[in-house]
Amino acid sequence: HDTRRTMTPSKKDNNEIETNGVSVFVRVRPLTPLEQEKGFTLLHGLVTTSPETAGNAVAFINPSSSSSSSPSIGGFEGVLGPESCNRDIFTKCFQKRLPTVLRGGTASLFCYGYTGGGKTHTVIGYGDERGLFYLAAESLLAELNELQQSKDDDDDGDGGDDDDDDD
């Protein structure tokens, strides 16, 4: 995985989130085994994906009304469905904010939802699936290591003696 390529800020295009300000995403968690066993289904009208270029995604469309004025819940940067793993969530929602941190700025990650909604699973992880906090730390540390390696390589190229030679 090339962290330098993914961490380097680039010009905003239709597939990138705005990195200044607040971006709100919706994550629809999968049903738990117990919910599936009891025959539960996702809420009718719940949108579980949004186009890559959404920027004004809708998470719920009222299925009982055919009127264009029927209430819907929208205005989100994107909607990620039950098939999305934490790495997908990290890549789409938060990774593009990390270069700001490397330049000395800040980035915040906040999850809101009801008890049992999957907030802890998303930010901390469970089992082999790492959470967003872990993935952010891993990415930042990898980028810092790469920057240090690059600096060390530049320092080694200054014409001085190289202590690594055993010959």
Side-chain angles (χ1 to χ4, degrees):
H1 179 67
D2 181 6
T3 55
R4 172 168 278 174
R5 182 181 56 78
T6 59
M7 296 295 290
T8 304
S10 62
K11 293 181 182 175
K12 186 176 188 313
D13 63 25
N14 288 337
N15 291 327
E16 290 186 18
I17 62 171
E18 179 63 49
T19 56
N20 298 320
V22 176
S23 297
V24 180
F25 289 84
V26 173
R27 180 178 193 182
V28 179
R29 71 160 173 81
L31 295 173
T32 66
L34 181 60
E35 290 168 336
Q36 291 174 0
E37 182 182 305
K38 290 184 175 189
F40 294 168
T41 61
L42 293 177
L43 177 67
H44 188 62
L46 187 65
V47 177
T48 58
T49 59
S50 62
E52 287 295 316
T53 58
N56 192 18
V58 174
F60 179 78
I61 300 170
N62 186 349
S64 62
S65 175
S66 59
S67 166
S68 61
S69 65
S70 68
S72 65
I73 301 172
F76 302 104
E77 190 69 32
V79 177
L80 298 108
E83 73 288 342
S84 297
C85 66
N86 284 348
R87 185 161 298 277
D88 296 337
I89 305 298
F90 170 72
T91 301
K92 180 150 184 159
C93 302
F94 200 64
Q95 187 173 27
K96 293 177 179 111
R97 296 189 178 276
L98 296 182
T100 299
V101 175
L102 290 170
R103 291 189 307 268
T106 61
S108 296
L109 174 69
F110 175 77
C111 291
Y112 176 81
Y114 60 89
T115 300
K119 300 176 300 293
T120 301
H121 174 86
T122 299
V123 297
I124 303 297
Y126 183 77
D128 291 336
E129 187 175 17
R130 303 293 188 196
L132 274 62
F133 290 161
Y134 180 95
L135 296 170
E138 179 181 62
S139 291
L140 287 170
L141 291 171
E143 183 67 13
L144 289 171
N145 186 49
E146 191 171 315
L147 291 170
Q148 183 63 46
Q149 284 295 116
S150 178
K151 182 184 177 308
D152 290 348
D153 290 347
D154 289 346
D155 290 348
D156 287 345
D158 64 2
D161 249 1
D162 188 358
D163 293 335
D164 292 338
D165 287 339
D166 292 334
D167 299 320

